[in-house]
Amino acid sequence: MGNAAAGDSAAELLLRAAALVPPARYALAALLLACAFLYRFLELHLIGDLLRGLRGGRVALTFHPASHVYHRVASKCRSLHGRYLATPWLASPHLQTLFLSISGRPPSFTYRRQLYTVRDGGTIALDWLLASDCEEEDVGFCDGVISRDDSTPLVVVIPGLTSDSTAAYVKHLVFSMASKGWNVVVGNHRGLGGISITSDCFYNAGWTEDFREIVNYLHQKYPQAPLFAVGTSIGANILVKYLGEEGEGTPVAGAVSICSPWDLLVTNRFIQRKLVQRCYDKALAIGLKGYAKLHQPVLARLANWEDIRKSRSIREFDRHATCVVAKYETVDTFYRRCSSANYISNVSVPLLCISALDDPLCTREAIPWDECRANKNIVLATAPNGGHLAFFQGLTAGKLWWVGAVSEFLLALHDSPCMHRQKAQEHSLHTSLESSIDKSPYVNFMEDGMVTAVTNDDANNSDSDNPISNEMELRNGMVGVQQDGIATEIQNECDGNRSQENVTPAQGPVGSQEQPKQNIDKIQDAIAPVKISINQLIRSQGRSVWLLTYIAFVTSWPFLGALGFILFRKKFRNSLPAKRGSVRDLANVKLLWRGRDGSGSTHGYPH
């Protein structure tokens, strides 16, 4: 036996030892390995929450040190300075995101629907929930929505990709803001919310025109209501891109971005990296194809329907549908041009950005940390957990943490002096111009920046002959006259040399200081209409007098210089031969004193 045992190999000995272990132990080990794999695969963080005493992870804030938005608004929000603890049985970004899409436990209420037609013929469904609806009253509802003079704050919500007003997270946000006494409207993407496509245009991740029209429409229809905006996921990318495109020109008083993808190219690379992310990619592609199938008659006419139907990822769908309809050269071109991270530096509206570091769709690698820190209007809040648009909290998962943070931020912003408003100078100047619309002469801004007078006879033809709009902006001491999107800036030159150069053409030649009286009368007649216009504007709006005086001063010198050159060029030419003759005589005298051989002496003359 000893010899037989000694002849057994090590493998045989291990197998014999393994056979002695009870099967229950193997089952337990397999269960533990499966749990470890699932814990890692699903990115569970329950053990970490237990080790932290179920206090949750601290919310990190990124902002400019001199940001008034942080010091006067965000600093008052308890949610942004606390911790976020996920629902224990949803302690995973994937579980949270999955539960949000399946259930989400949204509040129950009914929207008021309004159909809005944009300029290209497309139809957008605006779903309203008023503060009075939450109070079970029906007051203040006028002309289908609210009265024109209502000053109740108004929030516009932009849903995410293939989502509409019925999404659970949208209903959580809408009900929360309406419960706080605010009116809320959801701007559904065209083709969603049960509305058919009525034009050859489809929305995409960078399409801001629909939101721009909605904002302008709401601002004009309800001018007394402060306007705020909240974007979620792709809607957040659209919102931030819009704010960057508009800059100071938007009527939005404040905004919030939730789980924005920021950089579409980085996000697309991330979603194709791991197995679990590829599952999301396929699921979203299925949703996009479902959206396309709803509008197949229109989309099949604009693109290759078979290629769209065979798409297995978001990138393939964008290649065959989005890029074809929106006329982008490549998918990467579409992603680069439509990424909101490129527009952050120009955001001039108080903006709160909320993201989860474990977001399974919008990776933390795309978050523009430095760009947000450099902009004084932006506060970036990042939580360690939360998933995509989820952030469930409480044992019953009945609330979304980010919804409470949005409510706190917007309420604090509305009570602070940090709300974005149009500059007083812009409004006063525009008002002064409008107030003189029935008076003669009018003030007209020419293409080169000149201020000219237009009589009543020409007033009716001024709009057709001059395409320059009356919108003006005051930025950094400059007046910009908008013409077809091109700003002509008139800036006062502080350099003394430049000032002298501007004055010189208006001065006559030496010896011509005394001008004929008829020439002076011509100059006075030329500038008299401008003086009359300025006097009328002084009487209508006193605050704009210095601005208009500055414009007249800067723009009149080139006019007077050109006029002086035309009036006095004849005398100037007559004086040139005399000067040339005197120079020639002086040269002849010098030749008389110098010899032909260059010796410096002439015949008959001493040195």
Side-chain angles (χ1 to χ4, degrees), residues 268-284:
N268 182 257
R269 296 289 190 269
F270 170 77
I271 205 173
Q272 297 177 343
R273 185 181 303 169
K274 298 179 181 180
L275 176 61
V276 63
Q277 270 74 38
R278 288 196 292 270
C279 294
Y280 285 106
D281 192 13
K282 292 182 178 180
L284 291 175

Side-chain angles (χ1 to χ4, degrees), residues 177-196:
M177 296 307 304
S179 300
K180 300 294 190 301
W182 290 28
N183 296 324
V184 189
V185 56
V186 181
N188 295 284
H189 302 293
R190 60 172 67 193
L192 291 173
I195 304 299
S196 301

Side-chain angles (χ1 to χ4, degrees), residues 437-438 442 454-466:
I437 195 66
D438 295 328
Y442 304 113
V454 182
T455 60
N456 270 332
D457 297 335
D458 300 333
N460 297 330
N461 300 327
S462 61
D463 292 339
S464 59
D465 297 336
N466 186 8

Side-chain angles (χ1 to χ4, degrees), residues 166-186:
T166 61
Y169 62 90
V170 174
K171 300 189 76 171
H172 275 284
L173 174 64
V174 170
F175 187 79
S176 174
M177 296 307 304
S179 300
K180 300 294 190 301
W182 290 28
N183 296 324
V184 189
V185 56
V186 181

Side-chain angles (χ1 to χ4, degrees), residues 403-415:
V403 171
V406 169
S407 302
E408 280 188 324
F409 179 81
L410 292 182
L411 290 172
L413 179 61
H414 181 256
D415 295 335

